C-alpha cells in the first residue's frame, strides 16, 4: 500500500561512519550474498564472465575526493544503500502497492509478487537505492535485512543486517532512531550525523557521520615545542645528560648502590 | 534519463490520441457514422497503442492490472485509471456516433474532460519527481497538455485551434527548455548536498563503486552533449511547431494537413526524446556525472 | 486513509546446517560459517568465535561462494598436447598424472635432486611442502616470501625476534597513536580493519605514511605522502629528533635491548664471555658480565677498556646533522617542520600518555615488577617499506624507532603473536647439501648468523637455483622465488630438469617481466627441447600459468579439502593467545580433483620418500588429513596443537586420532590463551617463556635482547673487508660493506642509480584492492564487477602538466619496457608518484572469462615494466632487482616516464589469447540454492 504510515512505532536504520569506513566493500558483497539467497528473487548478474558484467546490488560503496581550503586532498569512502526515508517518495509513486513502508519499524520494502517492474520508484529515489533486477523484472532494494533482524532461527546477536554484522571496521551501526537513547541516536547526536540531500525532503532515517578533521600535525606548535627541546647540542653533552638521566630512572640503582 | 523508445512512443502517441478524443468529445469535428469511426479508430490506435507501448518496459506486464489499485497516491495508477475510464466512456460515446448516429453530448463532455485529465495524470508522473529537477515544474503538465491538445486539434482538423495551440505549445516548450536548463542548479542538489562533504566546488567523485555498469547508470545517467542538444531542439521545434503552422497557413489541402500532422508528431517525438535525454536525475551526482 | 501492508515471514529458516571452517580467499585465514542448504553452499558469514575475525568477513570472504562455484575451476588432471603456452591439453586420469610426475621426479632424485626446483606461491602449508622437499632431497625449495615481504620478516626477526606481517599486532585496545607505513591491505586484512575501527571508536589517532592516500590512509588522521623509497630517511630523522631531545625509553633500552652491550672497538663484534654471551657493564656493581646475569642493571653509558656500548655508537651516529629533518625533508617530500611535529607527537603520546597496568611479572634476570608500563604508540608496516632495495634497512630503522620509544611488547604498543617472539638464533640455519637418493641435511630456509651459514657449494658457487643465502643476498630467509625461472633459464648457477610450482601465477602477475618469463618458459635449446625440460603445476583454476605447464595437478577449492593452519607455519595467533585451525571438506568436489597436499603424499608414497615411509616400506600417511593428525615433528608435537592426546592436551601430547573431529566440533579452530601476567614483555617475561615451553613453541625458555645492532651483519661486513675464510667475490665487497651496516642506514633505491632520474622522474606503484586477491578475484562474478579494470592514477601535478582529461590514455615507459593504459586523476597522491591496482589485468582466455573481458582489454599489469634483473652494467654479471641483504624483490623501486597517447582499442602489450581448458562461464547468473 503506497500510502505512507503517518508514523511508525520504531525507526530502524543505519548510521554510517565516514570517518571509519575504509572502503573495503565487505558490506556490498555480504549484502549481495545474503539477499541473493534470501528475501525474494536472487540478485541476478548479467554477463557475469563477459565483457560487460552488470549485476543487481543493494549497497554500493562510492568514493569522493574533497579538497580542503589548504592542505592535501582527502578521500572519503561512501557506502550507500536505502535510507528508509520517513517521507519515502519511492513508496507514494508506486502504482501497484508493491512498495510500502512498514508501520512497525519504518522499513521500506518491495513486495515482489505485486511489483510490475515499472521502475518508477527508482526514478523517485534521489539516492539510487533501488535497482530493477534484469532477470526477474522486479524492483530490488535494501530490506534492512528484515528477514534477519527478527529471525528466530538466528542467534540473538546475529539479528542485525548482514552488512552491519560483516563490516570489519565497525563503520556501520544498526538501531532504532525513534529511541533517543539508542546507540544510533547517541552516535548521531555526538558526532553530528547528517542527512543526505535534505533538500529532497525525504527525511532519511539513515544518518552519516562526517569525517573528522585531518592533517593537523603540520608544524611543531607551541605546546609540542618543549617535547623536542634538545638535551644538548653535541654528543659529549648528550652523554653527560645520559648519565644523569640514567641515575634518575626509577628502576635504576640508587646512588650509593652505584660503584 | 535513458530515453527509452517505449516511453517516448507511449507519451507521444497517447498524448495525440487523448488530444483527439478531447476534441471528439466536444463534437469537434461533428461527425457520425463511418467518418466518426475513422476518427475514433485513429484516436484509439494512438491512445491504446501508446498505452500498450508503455507496458513494453515493464518487468511484469502480466501483473499490469495491479497498477490500478493505488490511485490515492500514485500518479501512475491514476493515469491508468483515468485512461481506462476515458477509453470506456469514449467508446460508448463513439458507439453512439458511429452506430446510432446519436451524440450523447454530456457523455462526450465527460469523456473529453477525462481525456485531458488523462494527459494531465501522465504529465504528473514526471512533474511529481523532485529527483529530476527539469521535470519537477508546472511547465511539465503545461507542455504535455498543450502538445496533446495541439496534436489533437491537428488530427481532428481544427485548423484555427491547432494554430493557436501550436503557438501556445511552442511558447511553453521554449520556456520549459530555458527554465529546465537551470533547474538542477536551482534545485540546490549538488554533489556536496548529496554527500554532505564540503562545498560543491571541493567534492569530486573519485572511484565509482563498480567498474562495471549497473541499472542506475543505464537508466538515469544518460548525458547529451550541449551542442547536440541544441541542434535537436532546433529540429524538434521546427518540425513540431513551425512547419505545421506553416502548412496550416497555406490553403487547405489534405496532403498538407497530413504532412502537418506527421511533422508535428515527428517533432514531438524529438522533443520527447530530449525531454528524457536531457533530464538530469540527481542520482547522477553520486556518480560524478552531473556538473552544476 | 488506512495503511495496509502484506504480512511477512520474519523468521524464514536460514539454512539446514552450518559447517565451520577457514576462509581461503586470502592468507588472513578468518573463520567462516558455511551455511548449507540441500547439501550446497548457500551463504558464508564470519565465525564470531574465531580469534582472527571475530565474526566479521571481508568482501572476498563473503564472495567465497562465487569462487567455489567459479566456471574456471579445473576438472581433471591435464597433460599438455600443444606447444607450451598454447593452452592445449588433454584430460588424463590421476593415476596417469602421478605416474608421469613420478617418472620425472624419480629420475632426478637418483641423479641429482637439485635438478628439481619446487617452489610454492600462496602456500598455507609450508611446513608440509618444505618437509616434502626436504625428504625428496632438493635444496631448491621456498615459498613466495622472497618476492613478497621477506625484508619485513627478516628485518623484524633479526632486530626483535618477531615481525609485522600477521606475526604481530598493535595493542589495539590500548594504543592512542598508530603509525602505519606503506600498507594498503596486508595479510592481516580483517584484524587491521577491526583494529582501525577500535581506534576510531575511541578517538585514538592514526598517521598514515604512504605516497597514496586511499583505504587505510584515507581514514588516517594524518596523511604523510612520502616520496617512495625514502621512509628510512624519514624514520632516521624521527630517531634523530627523539634522541636529541632525550625522548627515549632509557630504562627499556637498558633492560631489554642490546643497547648496553659492549662492542669490541677493533672488530665491531660483541664482547662476549666464555659461554658466548654478550657482555654488559652492571651500573649497580660496575662488573662487566653476561647480559642476563641476575640482579644487574646494564649500563647504557658504559665503556670498558675503550670498548663502548652499542647505545653510545648509535647515539653518535643518529645525532649527526645528516639525520636532521632539514637534511632529509626535500628528498622525503615532507616539510622539516612536519617531521618535527610528528616526532613531538610520538614523544608526547609515548611518554606523556604513558600508563601503568597493575600486573606483576618477573623478568629473565629474576627481577619482579609490580606493574607494566604502557606506551600507547604502535606501528605497523608492510610492503611499501619492504618492497624496495633498501627495504631491509628501512624496516630495521622502523623497529629501532619503536624500540627507542619503548613500545614493543608493552601495553599500548606493538605485540607479538605466538610462536613469536623468537630470536634469529632460535630459528634454523639454511641447509643445502643435496645427495642422490637422500633427504636434504636439514631445513632449507633459516636465518644465517654469518658467512659460515651461506648456502654455497664447496667451490663457492651458489647451492640453490635462486641463489638464496649467497653473497648477493646473504640473509634471504625466504628464498628468491622471483629469480627461479630466470636463473633456471640462464642455467645460472646450473640447469634444472623439473620446475614444480604450486599456486603461483608465475607467467603473469606474480612475476616481474611477465612477457620475458613467458619466453623463458617456452624457450628451446639447439635440439628444439625446452630449456626448462619439465614443468609440473598445481592450480585449482584456469590461471595464466596453467598454459605453461606440461602436467597439471588440479586442486580442490578451499571448501572441499583438508588443510592445516599450523603453529609450525604461519599461524593465526593473537597477541594474547596461540591458535591454529583447519579446513575440512564442508562439501565434496564434483570434479576429479585432489587436494594438492594429498597429491604430494601420494607422490611421496610412490617414490617411497624417507619421512613418508615406515621401516617396512609402507606409507606412513594415506592423505593429508592423515598426516595432519598423525605426523609428529618432535615427539608430542604435530601440525595441530589443539586437542592432543586424549583430547584435553594443548601444545604437546600424543597423537589423537579424533583430533580433526574435535576441531570441527570446536568451530574449526583451537585457541589457548596466554595467562594474564604473561601477555606483555614476552621476550623477557618468565611466565610467558614457561607458557611457550609448555605449548611446545620452544623446548626451553629463550629470553633474548632486542638487537639494535645486528652482529651477523657486521660479520658479513668483516668478510667483505677481508676477514675470514669464506670470502665474497670482489665485485660484491663494496656493496656488502656499504649496505650491511649493523645499524640501520638509508641508501637510495638501486633504480635511482640504474636509471637517470631525470629521464624517469616518476615513481610507479601498485596497491592491493581490498576486495580482490591477486589474480583470483577476476573469476569471481561478484568481485569482478567491483574491479573489472584498473586505471593508472596520476597526481594533480602530472595530470595538469600533460593536459590529461577523463578517458585519456598514456604510454608509460621504464628502463625495461612500456605499456599503454587508461589514466585517471587522484588528488591525494604524492606528486611524483603514479599507481594502479595490482593484478587486475588478465590474459585473454584465462579464468573462463570471455576474450573481450575488461580485465583483458582495459586491465593491465605494471609487471611488464619491472625486470627481475637490474639493467646490465656492462660487467657481464646478472644483478638481481632485489634487496642486497635479503633478496626481497624490489617491486616498488620502479621509475617511469609518462606521455599522453591517442586512445587505442585496448591496453598494450596485448598477448594472443590462451585456449581455455575449461570453456567459458554462463551468460547469466541467478544463484540461489534454496527453493
Ligand atoms: N585484498 C587483498 N589482500 C591481500 C592481498 C591481495 O592481493 N588482496 N595480497 C596479500 C599479499 S601476498 C601481501 S604481500 C600483502 C601486501 O599488503 P601491503 O603491504 O598492503 O601491500 P600493497 O598492497 O602492495 O601496498 C603497498 C603499499 O605501500 C605503499 N608504498 C609503496 N612504496 C612506498 C614507500 O616507499 N613508502 C611508503 N611509506 N609506502 C609505500 C603503496 O602506496 C601501497 O599503499 O597483502 C596481502 N593481502
Ligand atoms: N606489480 C606487482 N606485482 C606483484 C606484486 C606487487 O605488489 N606489484 N606483489 C607480489 C606479491 S607480494 C605476491 S605474494 C605475488 C602473488 O602472486 P601469486 O602468488 O601468483 O598469487 P595469485 O595471483 O594469487 O596466484 C596464485 C595462483 O594460485 C591459484 N590458486 C588459488 N587457489 C588455489 C588453490 O586452492 N589451490 C591451488 N593449487 N591453487 C590455487 C590461483 O588460481 C593462481 O593461479 O604477486 C607479486 N606480484
Ligand atoms: S564494510 Fe564497512 S568499512 Fe567496508 S566499505 Fe562497508 S562500511 Fe566501509
Ligand atoms: S532511499 Fe530511496 S528507496 Fe529508500 S526510502 Fe528513500 S527514497 Fe525510497
Ligand atoms: S517497480 Fe515495482 S515497486 Fe517500483 S513503482 Fe513499479 S511496481 Fe512499484
Ligand atoms: S541492511 Fe541488509 S539489505 Fe540493506 S544494505 Fe545492509 S545487508 Fe543489504
Ligand atoms: S580477510 Fe577476507 S578473504 Fe582473507 S581470510 Fe579473512 S575473510 Fe577470507
Ligand atoms: Mo605477497
Amino acid at each position: 500500500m503506497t500510502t505512507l504510515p503517518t508514523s511508525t512505532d520504531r525507526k530502524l536504520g543505519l548510521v554510517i561512519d565516514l570517518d571509519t569506513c575504509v572502503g573495503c566493500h565487505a558490506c556490498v558483497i555480504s549484502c549481495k550474498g545474503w539477499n541473493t539467497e534470501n528475501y525474494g528473487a536472487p540478485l541476478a548478474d548479467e554477463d557475469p564472465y563477459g565483457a560487460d558484467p552488470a549485476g543487481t546490488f543493494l549497497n554500493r560503496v562510492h568514493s569522493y575526493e574533497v579538497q580542503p581550503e589548504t592542505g592535501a586532498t582527502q578521500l572519503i569512502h561512501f557506502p550507500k544503500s536505502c535510507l528508509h526515508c520517513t517521507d519515502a517518495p519511492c513508496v507514494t509513486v508506486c502504482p501497484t502497492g508493491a512498495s510500502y513502508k512498514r508501520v512497525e519499524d519504518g522499513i521500506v520494502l518491495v513486495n515482489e509478487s505485486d511489483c510490475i517492474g515499472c521502475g518508477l520508484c527508482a526514478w523517485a529515489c534521489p539516492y539510487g537505492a533501488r535497482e530493477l533486477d534484469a532477470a526477474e523484472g522486479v524492483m530490488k532494494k535494501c530490506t534492512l535485512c528484515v528477514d534477519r533482524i527478527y529471525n528466530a532461527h538466528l542467534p540473538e546477536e546475529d539479528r542485525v543486517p548482514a552488512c552491519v554484522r560483516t563490516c570489519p571496521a565497525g563503520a556501520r551501526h544498526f538501531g532504532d532512531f525513534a529511541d533517543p537513547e539508542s546507540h544510533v541516536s547517541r552516535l548521531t547526536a555526538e558526532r553530528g550525523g547528517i542527512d543526505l540531500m535534505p533538500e529532497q525532503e525525504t527525511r532519511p532515517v539513515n544518518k552519516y557521520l562526517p569525517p573528522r578533521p585531518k592533517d593537523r600535525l603540520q608544524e611543531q606548535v607551541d605546546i609540542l615545542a618543549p617535547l623536542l627541546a634538545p638535551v644538548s647540542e653535541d654528543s659529549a653533552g648528550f652523554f653527560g645528560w645520559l648519565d644523569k638521566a640514567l641515575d634518575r630512572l626509577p628502576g635504576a640503582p640508587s646512588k650509593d648502590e652505584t660503584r | 534519463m535513458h530515453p527509452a523508445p517505449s516511453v517516448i512512443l507511449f507519451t507521444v502517441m497517447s498524448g495525440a490520441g487523448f488530444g483527439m478524443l478531447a476534441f471528439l468529445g466536444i463534437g469537434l469535428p461533428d461527425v457520425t457514422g463511418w467518418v466518426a469511426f475513422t476518427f475514433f479508430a485513429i484516436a484509439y490506435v494512438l491512445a491504446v497503442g501508446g498505452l500498450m507501448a508503455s507496458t513494453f518496459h515493464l518487468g511484469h506486464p502480466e501483473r499490469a492490472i495491479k497498477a490500478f489499485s493505488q490511485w490515492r497516491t500514485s500518479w501512475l495508477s491514476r493515469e491508468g485509471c483515468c485512461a481506462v475510464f476515458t477509453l470506456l466512456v469514449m467508446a460508448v460515446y463513439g458507439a453512439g456516433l458511429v452506430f446510432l448516429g446519436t451524440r450523447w453530448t454530456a457523455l462526450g463532455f465527460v469523456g473529453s474532460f477525462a481525456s485531458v485529465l488523462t494527459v494531465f495524470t501522465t504529465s504528473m508522473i514526471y512533474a511529481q519527481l523532485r529527483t529530476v529537477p527539469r521535470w519537477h515544474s508546472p511547465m511539465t503538465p503545461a507542455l504535455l497538455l498543450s502538445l496533446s491538445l495541439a496534436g489533437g486539434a491537428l488530427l481532428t482538423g481544427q485548423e484555427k485551434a491547432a494554430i493557436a495551440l501550436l503557438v501556445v505549445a511552442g511558447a511553453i516548450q521554449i520556456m520549459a527548455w530555458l527554465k529546465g536548463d537551470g533547474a538542477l542548479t536551482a534545485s540546490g542538489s549538488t554533489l556536496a548536498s548529496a554527500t554532505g562533504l564540503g562545498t560543491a566546488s571541493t567534492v569530486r567523485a573519485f572511484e565509482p563503486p563498480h567498474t562495471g555498469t549497473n541499472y542506475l547508470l543505464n537508466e538515469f545517467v544518460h548525458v547529451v552533449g550541449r551542442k547536440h542538444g541544441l541542434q535537436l531542439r532546433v529540429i524538434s521545434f521546427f518540425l513540431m511547431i513551425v512547419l505545421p503552422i506553416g502548412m496550416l497557413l497555406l490553403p487547405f489541402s489534405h496532403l498538407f494537413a497530413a504532412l502537418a500532422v506527421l511533422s508535428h508528431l515527428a517533432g514531438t517525438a524529438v522533443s520527447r526524446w530530449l525531454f528524457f535525454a536531457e533530464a538530469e536525475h540527481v542520482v547522477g551526482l553520486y556518480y560524478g556525472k552531473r556538473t552544476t | 486513509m488506512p495503511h495496509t501492508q502484506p504480512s511477512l515471514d520474519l523468521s524464514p529458516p536460514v539454512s539446514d546446517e552450518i559447517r565451520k571452517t577457514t576462509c581461503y580467499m586470502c592468507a588472513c585465514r578468518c573463520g567462516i560459517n558455511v551455511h548449507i542448504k540441500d547439501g550446497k553452499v548457500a551463504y558464508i558469514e564470519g565465525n564470531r568465535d574465531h580469534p582472527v575475525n571475530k565474526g566479521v568477513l571481508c568482501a572476498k570472504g563473503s564472495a567465497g561462494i562465487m569462487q567455489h562455484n567459479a566456471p574456471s575451476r579445473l576438472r581433471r588432471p591435464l597433460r599438455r598436447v600443444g606447444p607450451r603456452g598454447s593452452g592445449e591439453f588433454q584430460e588424463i586420469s590421476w593415476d596417469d598424472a602421478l605416474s608421469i610426475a613420478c617418472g620425472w621426479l624419480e629420475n632426478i632424485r637418483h641423479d641429482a635432486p637439485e635438478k628439481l626446483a619446487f617452489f610454492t606461491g600462496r602456500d598455507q602449508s609450508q611446513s608440509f611442502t618444505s618437509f616434502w622437499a626436504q625428504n625428496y632431497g632438493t635444496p631448491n625449495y621456498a615459498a613466495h616470501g622472497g618476492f613478497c615481504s621477506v625484508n619485513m620478516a627478516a628485518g623484524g626477526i633479526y632486530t626483535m625476534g618477531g615481525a609485522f606481517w600477521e606475526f604481530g599486532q598493535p595493542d589495539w585496545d590500548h594504543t592512542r597513536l598508530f603509525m602505519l607505513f606503506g600498507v594498503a591491505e596486508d595479510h592481516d586484512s580483517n584484524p587491521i580493519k577491526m583494529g582501525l575501527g577500535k581506534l576510531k571508536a575511541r578517538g585514538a589517532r592514526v598517521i598514515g605514511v604512504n605516497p597514496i592516500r586511499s583505504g587505510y590512509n584515507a581514514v588516517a588522521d594524518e596523511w604523510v605522502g612520502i616520496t617512495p623509497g625514502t621512509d628510512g630517511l624519514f624514520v632516521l630523522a624521527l630517531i634523530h629528533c627523539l634522541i636529541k631531545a632525550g625522548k627515549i625509553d632509557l630504562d627499556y633500552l637498558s633492560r631489554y635491548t642490546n643497547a648496553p652491550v659492549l662492542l669490541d672497538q677493533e672488530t665491531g663484534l660483541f664482547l662476549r664471555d666464555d659461554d658466548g654471551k654478550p657482555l654488559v657493564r652492571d651500573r649497580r656493581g660496575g662488573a662487566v658480565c653476561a647480559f642476563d646475569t641476575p640482579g644487574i642493571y646494564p649500563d647504557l653509558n658504559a665503556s670498558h677498556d675503550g670498548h663502548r656500548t652499542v647505545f653510545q655508537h648509535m647515539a653518535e651516529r643518529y645525532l649527526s646533522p645528516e639525520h636532521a629533518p632539514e637534511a632529509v625533508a626535500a628528498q622525503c617530500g615532507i616539510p622539516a617542520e612536519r617531521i618535527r611535529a610528528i616526532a613531538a607527537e610520538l614523544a608526547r603520546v609515548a611518554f606523556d600518555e604513558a600508563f601503568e597496568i597493575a600486573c606483576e611479572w618477573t623478568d629473565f634476570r629474576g627481577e619482579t615488577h609490580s606493574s607494566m608500563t604502557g606506551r600507547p604508540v604502535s606501528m605497523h608496516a608492510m610492503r611499501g617499506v619492504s618492497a624496495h632495495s633498501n627495504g631491509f634497512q628501512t624496516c630495521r630503522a622502523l623497529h629501532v624507532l619503536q624500540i627507542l620509544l619503548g613500545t614493543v611488547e608493552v601495553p599500548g604498543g606493538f605485540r607479538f603473536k605466538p610462536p613469536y617472539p623468537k630470536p634469529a638464533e632460535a630459528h634454523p640455519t639454511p641447509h643445502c647439501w643435496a645427495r642422490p637418493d637422500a633427504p636434504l641435511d636439514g631445513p632449507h630456509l633459516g636465518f644465517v648468523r654469518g658467512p659460515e651459514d651461506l648456502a654455497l657449494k664447496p667451490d663457492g658457487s651458489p647451492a640453490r637455483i635462486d641463489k638464496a643465502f649467497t653473497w648477493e643476498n646473504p640473509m634471504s630467509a625466504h628464498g628468491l622465488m622471483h629469480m627461479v625461472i630466470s636463473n633456471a633459464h640462464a642455467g645460472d648457477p646450473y640447469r634444472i630438469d623439473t620446475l614444480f610450482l604450486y599456486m603461483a601465477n608465475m607467467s603473469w602477475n606474480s612475476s616481474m617481466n611477465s612477457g620475458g618469463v613467458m619466453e623463458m618458459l617456452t624457450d628451446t635449446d639447439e635440439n628444439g627441447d625446452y630449456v626448462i625440460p619439465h614443468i609440473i603445476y598445481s592450480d585449482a583454476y584456469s590461471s595464466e600459468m596453467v598454459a605453461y605447464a606440461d602436467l597439471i595437478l588440479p586442486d580442490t577449492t578451499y571448501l572441499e579439502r583438508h588443510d592445516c593452519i599450523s603453529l609450525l607455519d604461519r599461524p593465526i595467533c593473537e597477541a594474547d593467545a596461540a591458535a591454529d585451525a583447519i579446513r575440512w571438506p564442508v562439501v565434496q568436489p564434483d570434479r576429479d580433483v585432489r587436494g594438492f597436499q594429498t597429491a604430494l603424499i601420494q607422490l611421496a608414497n610412490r617414490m617411497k620418500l624417507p619421512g613418508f615411509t615406515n621401516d617396512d616400506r609402507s606409507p606412513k600417511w594415506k592423505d593429508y588429513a592423515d598426516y595432519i593428525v598423525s605426523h609428529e615433528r618432535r615427539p608430542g608435537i604435530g601440525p595441530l596443537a589443539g586437542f592432543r592426546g586424549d583430547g584435553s592436551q594443548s601444545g604437546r601430547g600424543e597423537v589423537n586420532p579424533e583430533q580433526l573431529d574435535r576441531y570441527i566440533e570446536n568451530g574449526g579452530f583451537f585457541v589457548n590463551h596466554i595467562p594474564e601476567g604473561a601477555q606483555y614483555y614476552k621476550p623477557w617475561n618468565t611466565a610467558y617463556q614457561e607458557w611457550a615451553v609448555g605449548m611446545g613453541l620452544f623446548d626451553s625458555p629463550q629470553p633474548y635482547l632486542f638487537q639494535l645492532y645486528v652482529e651477523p651483519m657486521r660479520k658479513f661486513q668483516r668478510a667483505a673487508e677481508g676477514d675470514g675464510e669464506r670470502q665474497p667475490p670482489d665485485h660484491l665487497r663494496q656493496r656488502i660493506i656499504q649496505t650491511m651496516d649493523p645499524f640501520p642506514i638509508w641508501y637510495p633505491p638501486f633504480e635511482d642509480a640504474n636509471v637517470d632520474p631525470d629521464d624517469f622522474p616518476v615513481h610507479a606503484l601498485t596497491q592491493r584492492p581490498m576486495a580482490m586477491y591477486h589474480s583470483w578475484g577476476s573469476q569471481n562474478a561478484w568481485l569482478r564487477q567491483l574491479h573489472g579494470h584498473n586505471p593508472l592514477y596520476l597526481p594533480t601535478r602530472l595530470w595538469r602538466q600533460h593536459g590529461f582529461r577523463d578517458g585519456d590514455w598514456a604510454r608509460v615507459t621504464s628502463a625495461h619496457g612500456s605499456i599503454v593504459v587508461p589514466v585517471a586523476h587522484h588528488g591525494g597522491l604524492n606528486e611524483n608518484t603514479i599507481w594502479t591496482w595490482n593484478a587486475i589485468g588478465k590474459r585473454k582466455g584465462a579464468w573462463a572469462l570471455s576474450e573481450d573481458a575488461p580485465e583483458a582489454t582495459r586491465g593491465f599489469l605494471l609487471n611488464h615494466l619491472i625486470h627481475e634483473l637490474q639493467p646490465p652494467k656492462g660487467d657481464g654479471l646478472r644483478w638481481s632487482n632485489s634487496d642486497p641483504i635479503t633478496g626481497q624483490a624490489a617491486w616498488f623501486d620502479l621509475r617511469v616516464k609518462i606521455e599522453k597517447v591517442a586512445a587505442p582499442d585496448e591496453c598494450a602489450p596485448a598477448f594472443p589469447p590462451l585456449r581455455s581448458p575449461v570453456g567459458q562461464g554462463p551468460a547469466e547468473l541467478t544463484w540461489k540454492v534454496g527453493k
Side-chain angles (χ1 to χ4, degrees), chain C residues 26 60 122 144 148-149 181-187 189 209-212 217 226-231 382-385 388 765-774 838 892:
Chain C
C26 88
K60 294 161 287 152
R122 323 231 38 68
H144 67 287
C148 186
S149 206
F181 289 81
V183 176
E185 171 70 2
D186 206 348
H187 294 89
S189 305
V209 182
N210 199 309
I212 308 168
N217 297 286
I226 194 164
T227 305
T230 65
D231 299 69
M382 203 39 197
R383 291 185 64 257
V385 161
H388 289 284
L765 303 176
T766 55
Q767 299 204 97
R768 270 99 177 111
M770 292 181 188
M772 301 294 265
Y773 197 60
H774 296 287
N838 188 43
F892 296 157

Side-chain angles (χ1 to χ4, degrees), chain A residues 215-234:
Chain A
D215 298 331
R216 309 224 281 190
L217 274 183
Q218 291 300 343
E219 50 197 287
Q220 204 186 331
V221 285
D222 289 345
I223 41 160
L224 292 178
L227 283 165
L228 285 193
V231 293
S232 146
E233 281 307 324
D234 59 11

Side-chain angles (χ1 to χ4, degrees), chain C residues 303-548:
Chain C
S303 60
H304 172 68
D305 293 346
H307 307 302
R308 301 195 302 148
T309 62
V310 162
F311 185 72
Q312 290 174 341
H313 288 279
M314 185 170 137
E316 260 166 25
R317 157 115 34 134
Y318 296 124
L319 282 170
S320 116
E322 69 183 277
H323 293 297
E326 288 69 19
V328 305
Q331 236 171 326
C332 298
I334 313 168
E337 277 312 302
R338 193 155 195 228
I339 299 177
R340 284 186 196 283
I342 291 168
E345 179 68 3
L346 289 171
R348 188 184 68 73
V349 178
F351 299 104
D352 294 4
E353 295 196 16
F355 60 96
E356 298 289 325
I357 293 186
C359 180
E360 194 176 86
W361 70 285
T362 302
D363 72 25
F364 66 107
R365 295 191 184 97
E367 192 168 335
T368 299
H369 306 258
S370 60
S371 69
M372 296 177 165
T373 303
R375 300 218 181 277
V377 172
S378 60
M379 298 186 188
H380 186 83
M382 203 39 197
R383 291 185 64 257
V385 161
S386 64
H388 289 284
S389 54
N390 58 12
F392 176 83
Q393 287 286 20
T394 300
C395 179
R396 289 251 307 124
L398 198 48
H399 292 316
V400 166
L401 170 64
Q402 293 178 283
I403 293 168
L404 286 171
L405 288 166
T407 61
V408 182
E409 268 300 324
V410 304
F414 173 77
R415 307 171 71 193
F416 299 122
K417 302 180 184 179
Y420 300 95
K422 187 173 170 190
E425 311 86 71
H427 288 262
T429 53
H431 292 79
C432 62
W433 189 33
R435 293 151 295 161
D437 282 324
L440 203 69
D441 54 338
H444 303 85
L445 304 175
F447 287 79
V448 299
R449 332 284 200 239
E452 66 280 11
D453 291 331
L454 292 179
L456 301 176
K457 289 186 178 169
D459 66 0
S461 70
R464 292 175 52 106
I465 189 70
D466 59 357
K467 304 191 190 179
F469 311 110
T470 65
W471 296 103
E472 286 186 33
N473 20 249
M475 298 176 142
S476 36
H478 291 177
L480 281 81
M481 177 115 169
H482 54 297
M483 295 309 296
V484 173
I485 293 173
S486 177
N487 290 356
H489 175 256
D492 172 14
Y494 47 79
R495 297 218 167 272
I496 61 163
D497 177 82
T498 298
L499 177 63
F500 188 178
L501 296 172
Y502 164 53
M503 59 186 330
N505 203 7
M506 292 304 288
S507 69
W508 199 243
N509 55 290
S510 50
S511 276
M512 296 175 157
N513 178 25
S514 308
V517 169
M518 291 178 224
E519 281 167 25
M520 296 176 211
L521 292 171
T522 51
D523 196 17
T524 51
D525 59 18
E526 52 289 352
N527 305 322
D529 297 326
Y530 287 119
V531 174
I532 300 176
H534 301 121
I535 302 179
I536 310 175
Y537 181 45
S538 168
D539 202 312
Y541 307 100
S542 172
S543 70
E544 283 87 354
M545 183 59 206
V546 167
Y548 290 87

Side-chain angles (χ1 to χ4, degrees), chain B residues 72 204 206-207 210-212, chain C residues 1 785-786 788 793 825 837:
Chain B
R72 288 199 204 80
R204 184 176 79 86
F206 181 57
E207 267 195 328
H210 292 204
T211 55
Chain C
M1 256 165 283
Q785 295 184 52
L786 304 180
Y793 286 104
H825 176 204
W837 295 120

Side-chain angles (χ1 to χ4, degrees), chain C residues 60-61 69 140 174 193 196 231 287 365 618 626 892 918:
Chain C
K60 294 161 287 152
N69 294 303
N140 293 321
H174 295 107
K193 295 179 186 76
L196 286 171
D231 299 69
R365 295 191 184 97
S618 64
D626 192 4
F892 296 157
V918 293

Side-chain angles (χ1 to χ4, degrees), chain C residues 7-18:
Chain C
S7 71
L8 264 186
D9 179 3
L10 297 176
S11 269
V14 172
S15 54
D16 306 338
E17 189 189 345
I18 295 176

Side-chain angles (χ1 to χ4, degrees), chain C residues 631-870:
Chain C
H631 172 61
E632 287 179 289
R633 248 327 125 92
R634 304 196 300 281
I637 294 183
L640 290 173
F643 314 106
R644 299 193 67 83
D646 61 2
S648 67
Q649 281 165 274
S650 299
R652 295 173 189 268
E654 301 276 285
V655 165
N656 173 6
E658 267 141 40
Q659 197 179 23
L660 291 177
D661 295 332
R662 296 288 91 76
Y663 268 81
I664 292 170
E665 282 162 22
N666 196 51
F669 66 92
F670 156 79
V671 168
N672 185 306
H673 288 276
I674 303 174
E676 211 199 330
Q679 291 183 352
Y680 294 97
Y681 297 97
K682 293 184 197 114
W684 321 291
N685 186 330
T686 319
Y688 173 79
Q689 296 285 329
E690 278 162 11
W691 174 86
V693 170
M695 276 296 292
L697 304 179
F698 319 130
D699 287 332
S700 62
Q702 305 268 346
Y704 63 93
L705 299 178
F706 282 170
Q707 307 289 301
L708 297 173
Y709 185 89
V710 175
E711 195 189 35
M713 302 184 72
R714 178 61 199 141
K715 292 188 178 158
F716 284 104
Q717 274 186 323
R718 281 173 52 76
E721 287 160 10
D723 178 78
E725 263 171 34
R726 269 195 162 172
Q727 285 289 301
D730 287 339
H731 71 271
L732 289 171
R733 284 184 195 277
Q734 217 25 60
R735 192 174 89 170
I736 291 170
I737 292 170
Q738 195 233 332
T739 58
M740 296 202 60
D741 198 305
F743 281 125
I745 55 165
W746 182 84
Y747 52 88
F750 288 163
E751 177 95 341
D752 288 13
N754 290 334
V755 304
D756 184 346
D758 292 335
D759 285 348
F760 299 97
V762 181
H763 300 270
L765 303 176
T766 55
Q767 299 204 97
R768 270 99 177 111
M770 292 181 188
M772 301 294 265
Y773 197 60
H774 296 287
S775 50
W776 308 359
S778 299
Q779 63 193 326
N780 190 303
W782 295 348
L783 297 179
R784 73 183 288 257
Q785 295 184 52
L786 304 180
H787 293 285
H789 49 86
N790 52 317
L792 183 73
Y793 286 104
L794 269 51
T796 308
R797 187 181 70 85
L798 294 175
W799 189 255
R800 296 208 178 121
Q801 178 187 322
H802 295 275
F804 283 113
R805 290 170 168 279
D806 284 341
D808 280 349
W809 288 60
R811 170 175 293 109
V812 185
T813 308
S814 71
H816 166 57
S818 86
I819 57 176
V820 178
V821 300
V823 294
H825 176 204
H826 185 171
L829 182 54
N830 173 290
E831 62 169 23
N832 294 313
T833 301
I834 59 178
W835 73 278
T836 191
W837 295 120
N838 188 43
I840 300 300
K842 294 284 129 61
R843 175 105 179 245
K844 292 192 180 88
W847 303 103
L849 300 179
S850 67
E851 286 178 12
D852 55 0
E855 290 88 341
T857 56
R858 305 189 56 209
F860 65 92
L861 299 180
L862 275 199
N863 301 48
H864 302 300
L865 300 177
I866 311 172
H867 205 283
E868 75 277 9
L869 298 174
Q870 300 178 45

